[in-house]
Structures are given as C-alpha cells and as structure tokens.
Amino acid sequence: MRSFDAIIIGGGHNGLVCAAYLARAGRKVLVLERRERVGGAAMTEEVFPGFRFSVFSYVVSLLRPEIIRDLELPRHGLHILPLESTITPLENGDYLGQWNDHDQNRRELARHSLRDAEAYDEFGLMLHQMARAIKPLLGMAPPDPTSLSLANLSGMADLARHFRGLGGKRFHTLHKLLTMSSADFLDEWFENEALKATKSASGIIGTMLGPRSPGTAYVLLHHYMGELDGVFRAWGFAKGGNGSVSAAIAAAAQAAGAEIRCNAPVANVLVSRGRAKGVVLEGGEEIRAKIVVSGADPRRTFLQLVGEKHLPDEFVESIQRFRFRGSSAKVNLALGELPDFTCLPGRGAHLRGAFSISPSVAYLERAYDDAKYGEISRRPYMDIVIPSMLDPAMAPPGKHVMSIFVQYAPYHVSGGWTDARREALGDAVVDTLARYAPNLKSAILHRQVVTPADIERIVGLTEGNIFQGELSLQQMFFLRPAPSWAKYRTPLAGLYQCGAGTHPGGGVMGASGRNAARVILGAP
Amino acid sequence: MNRTVVIGGGADALVAAQMLATAGREVLVIEGANAPQAEGWVPRQVLRALKLQGLELHWPDPWISVPLPGGGRLELWRDMARSAESIRRVSARDAQRWPQFCKRMARLARFLEVLYAEPPPDPLSAGFAWRARRLGGQGLEDLLRILPMPVAELLDDWFENDALKGALGGAGVLHLLQGPRSGGTAFRLLHHHVGCPPGVFRAPRSNVLELLRRLPRVELQGAAVQRVAVQAGAVAGVLLNDGRELEASMVVSSADPRRSLLEFIEPGWLDPELVRAVRHVRRRGVSARLRVQLDRSPGFGALAIAPSLDYLERAYDDAKHGGVSRQPYVEARCDEQHRLDVHIQYAAQGADCAKLGDTVLAMLSEHWGEAVPREGELLSPQELAQTEGWPEGQAHHAELALDQVLWMRPLPELARYRTPIEGLWLCGPAMHPGAGVAGAAGFNCAREILRR
C-alpha cells in the first residue's frame, strides 16, 4: 500500500492551491477528486455541443496575486481577460454605465448625478485605503482571542498594532464597513439609486441578507482588492472559462510533483487512536497519509467524512450551527444571436462587459423579501456576462454563451426544489432579462438552470452555498468555521481544513488553500 | 460669567447638571415643553455620585405576556423558574434551555453594564482587551459572535417556539428600522437586558426623574433654546426663544447632535466634514404610540403581539418600503389607573398612520377581556417628534446600531461628549451608552467635563 505525506480531499481551487504549495515544499501529495475532473465550482464544461460554460463560478476577481506569482500560473495556462464595464439597464429605458476608463466613467456618472461623479474618486480612494488595511489579514491564520497561549496573545497584539497603525479615522471607517449595511454606507456617499444598487449588490452575493441588512458593507471592499494589486483589473474572465483557473493550478501542482486522482470519492476519513491516518474511498480502497487536508466545506468534512463520534461535542455543535443557506443560482444560455439591449442597442464595447440587473436598492430588497419567506425572487438580481464576446472559443462561430448569476434562489425554497421549480426560476430570469433585451427569448437555443440544490448535488457544496458557508460577520475570521479552530487545524490530530469554509473564505481567491499550506508547513 | 447651561429636562441632562453643581459650578437647566419619561435602568454609579435614595424600578410581573395561537398566554416572569414553567407548556426543550440562555446573556449584559457607566473605551487598548478577556473564553466568544448577529439567528440557535422567539425578538428591533433577520439586532437584545435581572429583557421604568428634580442646587427654567452663541470658537451664551439672552461659558446639551451642532450653532463654526458626518447620523423614526384609557384592568401588565420572528420581519418589510406595518408589532403596558401605553412598530416616517389606531385597537381588544376603551390617542412618528422631542420620531436620537455604539456613538469625533466648540458638550441619548440607560450619558459627560 502506498503512503503519502498529505492527502487533499477535493480538487477545488483551494485544495489544488494547497496541494501545489505542499508539493513545492517537497511533500508527497495526493489530491482526491470525487468528480471526473478537478475544479470543484471553478470548472468549464461543454454543456451543449459547441457551447462551453463556466457552469458555476464565472469571473475572477480575487485570486491572490501572490498565488499567481508563486505558482507561476500564467506559465501553466492562466490568461485573464479584463471585463471593461458594468452596465445597469434602468426601468425607464436608460442605463447607468461604470467603465474602467476613468474619464469615460466620470462623464457617464455626471450624466446621472454631478454630485456622485464628484464623490466617486474620493470613494474609490477610501475603499482603496480600506482594502490595504484588510489585505494583511487575508494572508494570516487568524489568532484566537479566547486563547491565552503566547502565540495567540502575540497575534492579537500584532493585530491591535496593525489597526492602531491605521490611525483613528481609517480604523473608524473600517468599523463602519464591517458593521453597516451596504445601502446605508453608500447613502453617505451617493444619491443615484442605480449606482447604489449596483455597488451594494456585491455585498449580498452568496448571502441570505438584503442590501439594507447590517454586515453587507464590507464586501464592497472585495471589488477593490483585485485592483489594488495591479495584477489585473478588479473583474476578469479567464480565457477558456473558470475551469482554466483550476487547470492552471492543477498543472502547477502536478509540475511540483503532486498526484491528482479524479473519480475518487472519499467515503470517510480514517481515524485511529484519535488521529487522522488517511482516507477510505467509496470503493473501499484505503489510502494512508501522515496528514489529511479537507477542501470540503465544514459540515461535509466534520459531520460526514469524519463523524461526530471522533469530535468534541462543543465543536460539533459549532459546526451544526454554522450557516450555509445557499441563495444563488446560475442560468447559462446558449444564444443564436447577441442580446440587443433596449438601452444600448446593437453591438458595442458594452457587450464585452458585465450587465447588472439592479435598478434600485428597493428592487434588490424586494428580491430579498421573496426569498426570506422561502420563495424565488419574482424579479431577481442578476449579474450577466457574455464570455463568448471575450473568448470566441466558448461558442460556435456566430453564436454566443451567456452566464447569468441569479439571486435570490433560496436553498430552503418552500416545497423543496423540483424540476418545475427549476424551470420556474429559469422563466423568471429570462422574463426579467427580456424586459431589457427583448430579442433574448427568440435568441435562446439552450438553457441550463443551476439551483442551489444542483450546486450541492453536483459540486458538493452544502446547501449550495457558494462560499462554503455564509460570509457574515459572526462566521468570519477567528469564528470561521468554529471558534478556536479557525487556524486550519481541527480537533482531530492530523486533519486540516483548506476550503473556503475557513478564513478568509469565499470567491476564487485561493487564500484559504495557501494559508492552510503555510500552517501545515509550519510557516510563522 | 462662569455659568453652565444644561439643555433639556431628561434624566441625562439632570444628572449632568447635578454632577456639575455638586462640583461647585453654577448650573441652570433649560427644560423644553415636553415631559420626558425615565425609561431604563439607572447605573448604581449615578445613584452613588448623587446620593440618590428611594429609587424604585418598575417592571410588570410577568414582564411580558404573549398570546398563544391556541389561546392562553406565554408569560415571562422575573422569576426564571416560573418563566421556565410557562415555557414548558409550549416547549419542554425551550424550557430546559431557558436558564442556560439567561445565564449566558446575563454574563454579557454585565460586561456591557460596566462599559455603560463610563466613557466609551478605546477598542485597541490593552486595558480594554484585558477586561474583555475577563469574560472568560466562552464569554468572549459569545460576545464577539453574538454582537454582529441577527437576533433571529441567536434565538433560532437556542429555541424552537415561535411565541417565545417573537417576544424576545421584539427587544432586538425596538425603535430600530431593521427586522429580526438583520445583523446587529442580537446586540439590541443585550442592550435592553443591561441592568435587568437575569431572564428579563425589557428596560424598567423608574421614578429617577422625580428624584432628580427634587434635588437642590440646580435652577430649572422652562424655555426653549434657539441658539448657542459662540465667540472666538468658544461658547458665550444661550439665546432663548422668548428673546432672552443668557451668558454662559459652558453649554451641556441633551438635544440630539444634529440639533445641538447644526441648529443651535451658527453655521461656519464647524468643519464641513464634521457637518457632513453629523448629517449622516441615522435617526429614522419607526414607531407610533397609542394611549388608551380603559375602564378596568385589561388583565395584563405588559402584553406583546409578536407571534413569531417572521411576523416581526413582515412588519418590518412594510416599513422598509416606506409604509406602515399592515400587521404591526405591538407592545402594551398598563398602569394602575388602567392607562394603556402602546408601542407600535413599524411606521415609517411620513407614512399614513390614519388607520393604524383602529388596527391596533382591534388587535388589542381581543386580549383585554371585558375592558372598554374610554378615550385614546394615536401619535405618529411625526407627532412623537413634536410631543416627545424625538428627532424624526426616533426615540434613541441616534439609532442604536453597531456602527453607532460605543466609540462610534454618535460619531467617533464626538464620542467623548466634547465638541469642537470650546465649552459645548453633548449628553443626550445619542451619546454613549444611549437610550435605555437613564442618566448614564449625562453622568459620563459630566465626568469628562470635570476631568479637565
């Protein structure tokens, strides 16, 4: 029987990043992926003949630049194409555009509100400073404030010093970002409803919260993190779809010596004498390793793969109350022709950017209201890109693919998810979008609707939560996924976690995988 | 002229006035027309500093009753065991968890209690870290986890019964334009728990105002302040509505910050950035009030109509979109003269409250048995702004949300009660620790003044 230094459960991007770092440090690593290909939720699939989709996760904005550098991802095939704009069609037939080009953006904003155009730069500068303040936290294993160990105390002291170094004003702004609702926060800066709604929409992605709910403001930062590092623009599209991000990381891991096995679903973690010794595959095969690292979400890892009996009661209780509540869906369309938006007719640069269906904060709140009581939003929030405009290889010549991120589609929909429900969601999305692009319905050749229940079934993300657990304040930093166990270690010796269910979580960021590898390798 | 003028006749203003007078200053209190109520716990530091005796705190007992869908009521008493007994009738599991829940919440409330009786702490100081540590591992974890939580999640973690969760959830949203599923509302449950016995989650009423008014040393005058005169960046006096001008070297205002800084002060004295920040302090009125005289006892001391968390959330939804709750959250308190004081939530500012009174009367009449209402009066948020002096109808002057508490209350620049105008201080409910703690902001403010 073969033995490894480390087994990574799950070939999602975090698992692959972790594997790559461990392999580069000379460890003998095996990645076990349940499905026939790696990538988890970051994968490309030819769903309809000739039409390729980033079925789940569809843009790149947060992938840590140090990971791109360390793993030399461009050399392994990663190529990011920038998204140039975000267009918000309005109900009156007009639109609000946000462009990467500074002057164009300013002119466009001024068309709607001079005041907002004036405030925009200052707002950007403020968020830039805040992103800088947060950035060091993304790469650290969060210290545990409830522990009295020397390492934790000095970690907390470092943290206090870091925040102190920001100065009072920035610290207070950070406090506001962490505790306010995105709508309230933006109300202090802007007056245009479409601008506020489109910006606040980033704060609700993946959560069961509305833009008026406190705790949604800090996600505004995420859009500035990418920009900050100057590697690529805040939003980008990976050539070949998001599967090529995973493929590049997998190639880097393999080049460093990691072994990747697909079609190898793990049934459970092998535990003996209070220690993880390896895994048992569903076929019964046992594979042993010095350590096991799980890229699966906390509930799946601890309650399914490990089992309650091997874990302390208090910890099990923390994991049980860790909230998932997936709220996002995807609709992938194969189109015979390009959508023709009433607000910006014909072809143009705008089709190479994103479209946001978020005409007002009240619109988003109403979408949330439906979901709160277990219904699909009648008029959902949507974030739309047409990848074939950036990478023609995604669709047959002259044809196109459209990726629509949809919220809210609650996992706990009343009556449960059925085929009829799935189609109802697809209809709500297409009907809503057709109000802004009337030729859409006749342009559709094929339609794929991915509900939170589908995400759970296919990718294995509990309750279809795209962040492996809600990114709410009470589930972040040293509380992610459980108090005292946020440092990638677990109560079971030899078992580590590297998924987005750990700090900092969420998005195709890779930071959890990298941080976990650093902890395993004993980095300070 | 070394006189200090204190603006307002509430507990905060009177405590500040008494503290300053005790320290030897000449103090004049200018009271407005409205008679504020003393709602909330009174820190013992205040009692000790002013040697106040004879304080009576009133909680109805049970402190809350909730009608149950199948008839009967869930009653929560000051006696924890008695509450558990009542809860047992709806859920054995919840009854079993009640004492533990009360214990955990009481520990956090005690931590806040200490913070509330002094100026806001510096969150990054070693001293604050040390005090937080003394909560113990579990306590600290609870504090950090619970503060940002929606009260609905906290209650869902602990309990299963809707009526119980509704009754407790109400405390999370009192006077706040948020629903129980909004973040930061769990903190509100704790806020209203501070100073209460374990298992009681509503602030008491007290006679503290009468006691304060009875104290000597301070002159009280009924008038309204129009302007605070400023010379060379320092307070010079106060201009009253009746045209009188009073000289003063110090003004301590319990009015809300926007009024104190943007209305009392001539424009131009303040940094535009501060002016902008003051305008952004959120203080949206959300509640209406109904006062009803009944001919006999309604058979309850305090009754809440909040059958579930979803009920509260739906009530919020209506106001979120600018209206009045079709089915409002209602909390009625009855005194010995059978006067009902009914808190109604939500009514967005400017919304049409015409039918609200009848809606609420109809809801309550199902629960007051044979009693007959003699007369009643409904006050909309706008009317409450007039009668109670609540800015925009907001009882807390500045919403008690996580970005407007402690060192952020009402703004970081003003959190230590001082303003950029030399001699002008703030002491009202908009200041730390905020409404629901009678006199604490005044006490903290006076101590800051005297420290200098």
Side-chain angles (χ1 to χ4, degrees):
Chain A
M1 197 176 64
R2 300 174 58 200
S3 177
F4 292 87
D5 289 328
I7 289 174
I8 314 269
I9 303 174
H13 72 279
N14 273 315
L16 294 171
V17 165
C18 186
Y21 276 97
L22 292 180
R24 280 159 47 92
R27 302 290 199 276
K28 209 167 148 211
V29 183
L30 172 68
V31 179
L32 295 171
E33 168 56 42
R34 187 171 58 100
R35 301 190 66 210
E36 65 283 0
R37 78 190 73 181
V38 292
M43 61 115 176
T44 311
E45 207 168 89
E46 186 168 328
V47 181
F48 308 107
F51 294 92
R52 297 166 70 222
F53 292 93
S54 298
V55 177
F56 308 100
S57 154
Y58 61 105
V59 284
V60 192
S61 67
L62 298 168
L63 189 58
R64 301 303 307 148
E66 56 269 26
I67 295 175
I68 299 179
R69 266 195 315 269
D70 291 349
L71 303 185
E72 301 173 273
L73 295 183
R75 196 163 69 79
H76 292 288
L78 180 70
H79 185 55
I80 309 272
L81 306 160
L83 285 161
E84 295 284 354
S85 61
T86 301
I87 303 291
T88 308
L90 305 180
E91 275 157 352
N92 64 5
D94 196 355
Y95 67 93
L96 171 81
Q98 290 172 259
W99 302 86
N100 283 353
D101 181 87
H102 182 264
D103 291 337
Q104 192 180 5
N105 194 49
R106 197 183 161 85
R107 274 196 305 278
E108 169 66 4
L109 282 177
R111 196 166 70 81
H112 294 273
S113 159
L114 264 178
R115 210 190 104 187
D116 290 359
E118 294 290 327
Y120 200 83
D121 284 348
E122 203 190 325
F123 179 78
L125 183 67
M126 178 274 298
L127 281 190
H128 179 88
Q129 289 169 346
M130 291 300 109
R132 244 178 217 286
I134 284 287
K135 213 184 98 156
L137 271 55
L138 296 180
M140 76 194 305
D144 177 5
T146 66
S147 153
L148 285 175
S149 81
L150 203 58
N152 280 310
L153 287 177
S154 81
M156 288 306 291
D158 286 347
L159 214 53
R161 204 169 307 124
H162 170 69
F163 286 124
R164 207 166 258 298
L166 297 177
K169 207 170 152 59
R170 287 184 196 174
F171 175 72
H172 293 132
T173 308
L174 190 60
H175 179 135
K176 287 174 81 160
L177 266 175
L178 284 171
T179 52
M180 282 177 88
S181 76
S182 50
D184 284 339
F185 191 83
L186 290 162
D187 274 342
E188 294 193 359
W189 288 88
F190 302 116
E191 59 186 10
N192 182 271
E193 273 297 314
L195 178 63
K196 285 191 278 187
T198 307
K199 286 215 171 286
S200 64
S202 63
I204 58 170
I205 286 175
T207 72
M208 263 301 272
L209 295 170
R212 294 208 176 282
S213 179
T216 50
Y218 90 99
V219 188
L220 292 170
L221 277 185
H222 273 189
H223 284 249
Y224 284 78
M225 302 266 190
E227 228 165 16
L228 178 76
D229 298 301
V231 174
F232 47 80
R233 293 188 185 271
W235 286 87
F237 173 80
K239 191 167 160 41
N242 259 9
S244 61
V245 177
S246 309
I249 303 170
Q254 281 167 323
E259 192 178 323
I260 298 175
R261 252 176 87 179
C262 292
N263 295 310
V266 172
N268 60 275
V269 173
L270 204 58
V271 182
S272 93
R273 275 184 249 134
R275 209 186 146 82
K277 298 277 188 189
V279 298
V280 183
L281 298 186
E282 273 175 19
E285 183 187 345
E286 268 188 34
I287 310 174
R288 291 190 176 256
K290 292 193 187 111
I291 61 162
V292 176
V293 188
S294 175
D297 68 63
R299 194 183 294 175
R300 190 171 267 262
T301 300
F302 297 110
L303 305 186
Q304 287 183 25
L305 299 180
V306 175
E308 294 175 24
K309 62 175 187 289
H310 298 298
L311 299 164
D313 292 347
E314 213 173 88
F315 179 78
V316 168
E317 205 179 297
S318 297
I319 297 298
Q320 278 166 341
R321 73 182 179 200
F322 193 70
R323 282 181 168 78
F324 291 88
R325 301 189 301 183
S327 58
S328 330
K330 264 300 284 292
V331 173
N332 297 314
L333 299 178
L335 300 177
E337 59 172 351
L338 280 169
D340 195 12
F341 284 87
T342 316
C343 61
L344 271 166
R347 290 187 76 131
H350 62 282
L351 293 177
R352 296 171 58 84
F355 289 83
S356 176
I357 305 300
S358 49
S360 67
V361 172
Y363 176 96
L364 300 178
E365 276 292 339
R366 286 192 195 281
Y368 169 54
D369 287 349
D370 291 333
K372 270 198 292 202
Y373 310 107
E375 298 301 326
I376 301 165
S377 304
R378 279 163 290 186
R379 291 275 178 244
Y381 158 67
M382 295 181 231
D383 186 56
I384 302 155
V385 287
I386 310 171
S388 49
M389 284 298 288
L390 295 157
D391 179 3
M394 298 298 282
K399 301 204 165 50
H400 288 278
V401 287
M402 182 186 255
S403 155
I404 309 174
F405 173 88
V406 187
Q407 215 164 304
Y408 302 78
Y411 175 82
H412 296 285
V413 74
S414 48
W417 281 101
T418 59
D419 287 347
R421 281 257 176 199
R422 185 187 296 120
E423 292 318 306
L425 172 65
D427 292 344
V429 166
V430 170
D431 289 345
T432 306
L433 191 52
R435 283 154 52 109
Y436 302 99
N439 72 330
L440 183 75
K441 286 190 185 174
S442 61
I444 297 175
L445 303 173
H446 309 283
R447 178 171 96 177
Q448 180 195 31
V449 182
V450 183
T451 69
D454 298 329
I455 297 175
E456 181 179 60
R457 182 173 47 82
I458 300 167
V459 190
L461 289 168
T462 295
E463 296 189 8
N465 186 294
I466 58 173
F467 295 149
Q468 287 203 351
E470 278 192 285
L471 273 175
S472 49
L473 216 44
Q474 65 272 21
Q475 299 197 154
M476 275 168 58
F477 208 50
F478 64 91
L479 295 168
R480 191 168 186 89
S484 305
W485 297 106
K487 289 181 159 186
Y488 313 97
R489 292 190 172 82
T490 72
L492 186 65
L495 178 70
Y496 292 80
Q497 331 165 60
C498 72
T502 60
H503 169 78
V508 186
M509 192 180 326
S512 296
R514 178 174 183 265
N515 291 354
R518 285 163 58 87
V519 165
I520 293 165
L521 295 172
Chain B
M1 182 79 186
N2 204 9
R3 176 157 60 187
T4 297
V5 170
V6 175
I7 302 174
D12 287 319
L14 294 179
V15 167
Q18 287 295 341
M19 296 270 298
L20 295 174
T22 311
R25 286 170 186 263
E26 185 196 337
V27 181
L28 171 65
V29 176
I30 306 290
E31 302 183 272
N34 38 56
Q37 288 174 343
E39 206 156 326
W41 149 76
V42 187
R44 60 173 189 282
Q45 290 89 332
V46 174
L47 302 177
R48 210 181 299 138
L50 297 179
K51 301 194 175 61
L52 277 184
Q53 278 168 1
L55 181 77
E56 293 165 21
L57 295 174
H58 305 285
W59 280 277
D61 205 21
W63 58 267
I64 203 86
S65 316
V66 196
L68 291 169
R73 284 182 196 152
L74 172 71
E75 290 173 329
L76 299 179
W77 303 78
R78 292 184 61 174
D79 177 6
M80 231 191 290
R82 207 166 164 195
S83 299
E85 211 39 60
S86 176
I87 297 170
R88 198 177 314 281
R89 265 172 260 143
V90 291
S91 162
R93 180 174 165 268
D94 290 357
Q96 196 203 336
R97 289 182 157 211
W98 180 249
Q100 183 64 12
F101 175 77
C102 295
K103 200 177 125 201
R104 295 267 282 267
M105 296 303 123
R107 178 161 54 181
L108 299 182
R110 273 199 304 277
F111 176 71
L112 291 178
E113 190 175 323
V114 177
L115 294 184
Y116 281 5
E118 55 185 43
D122 173 357
L124 296 177
S125 65
F128 183 63
W130 168 246
R131 279 158 64 174
R133 272 254 30 125
R134 282 171 48 199
L135 274 167
Q138 176 75 62
L140 187 59
E141 176 195 319
D142 276 352
L143 183 76
L144 294 167
R145 201 175 89 85
I146 288 173
L147 285 187
M149 257 184 144
V151 71
E153 286 186 16
L154 173 68
L155 295 171
D156 283 340
D157 277 351
W158 282 91
F159 303 117
E160 59 183 12
N161 181 261
D162 282 339
L164 177 61
K165 288 192 279 188
L168 294 171
V173 296
L174 269 178
H175 294 294
L176 186 66
L177 188 58
Q178 293 290 356
R181 300 203 184 285
S182 298
T185 47
F187 157 73
R188 297 289 304 264
L189 179 71
L190 288 177
H191 179 83
H192 293 293
H193 186 36
V194 173
C196 298
V200 178
F201 292 90
R202 287 297 186 284
R205 287 192 183 158
S206 72
N207 60 344
V208 70
L209 266 181
E210 291 146 47
L211 298 181
L212 285 168
R213 297 179 69 89
R214 242 183 269 149
L215 288 178
R217 297 189 290 259
V218 165
E219 187 189 344
L220 278 78
Q221 279 192 19
V225 173
Q226 190 167 28
R227 281 244 182 255
V228 172
V230 179
Q231 273 169 16
V235 164
V238 173
L239 177 68
L240 302 180
N241 266 357
D242 54 21
R244 277 187 297 153
E245 283 179 49
L246 306 171
E247 274 183 53
S249 61
M250 182 183 286
V251 169
V252 182
S253 172
S254 69
D256 74 286
R258 210 183 303 183
R259 189 131 181 260
S260 302
L261 291 171
L262 307 187
E263 289 177 32
F264 291 164
I265 301 290
E266 290 276 358
W269 283 114
L270 295 170
D271 178 0
E273 219 169 292
L274 179 67
V275 171
R276 193 176 89 152
V278 169
R279 285 217 177 91
H280 284 150
V281 172
R282 290 191 315 286
R283 42 171 216 180
R284 298 163 294 189
V286 290
S287 61
R289 223 170 179 100
L290 180 69
R291 299 210 171 95
V292 188
Q293 176 69 58
L294 296 176
D295 68 337
R296 71 194 78 179
S297 164
F300 58 78
L303 182 90
I305 301 180
S308 68
L309 292 167
D310 269 355
Y311 178 97
L312 288 172
E313 188 70 30
R314 283 183 197 278
Y316 162 58
D317 287 347
D318 292 328
K320 182 172 74 178
H321 297 297
V324 169
S325 306
R326 278 161 288 184
Q327 292 193 297
Y329 153 49
V330 169
E331 206 168 305
R333 266 199 195 192
C334 189
D335 64 13
E336 278 115 40
Q337 285 83 45
H338 316 315
R339 282 182 304 212
L340 271 191
D341 185 6
V342 188
H343 171 84
I344 305 165
Q345 207 167 322
Y346 301 75
Q349 257 185 308
D352 178 14
C353 294
K355 294 195 198 103
L356 193 55
D358 292 337
T359 310
V360 174
L361 277 180
M363 286 166 74
L364 284 172
S365 64
E366 291 174 29
H367 305 293
W368 65 36
E370 301 294 304
V372 178
R374 293 264 185 250
E375 56 194 46
E377 173 194 30
L378 181 94
L379 297 168
S380 68
Q382 295 85 291
E383 286 160 325
L384 285 169
Q386 293 299 318
T387 58
E388 307 288 319
W390 295 348
E392 295 179 23
Q394 171 54 254
H396 296 168
H397 288 203
E399 286 169 40
L400 268 167
L402 283 183
D403 60 309
Q404 297 191 155
V405 295
L406 296 167
W407 51 88
M408 303 293 285
R409 187 161 186 84
L411 291 171
E413 299 90 322
L414 301 173
R416 296 194 81 94
Y417 312 95
R418 257 184 102 179
T419 71
I421 307 285
E422 184 64 40
L424 177 65
W425 297 77
L426 302 175
C427 76
M431 309 305 293
H432 169 80
V437 194
F443 174 75
N444 294 343
C445 173
R447 286 217 312 186
E448 281 293 285
I449 294 172
L450 297 173
R451 210 164 56 87
R452 286 166 52 77

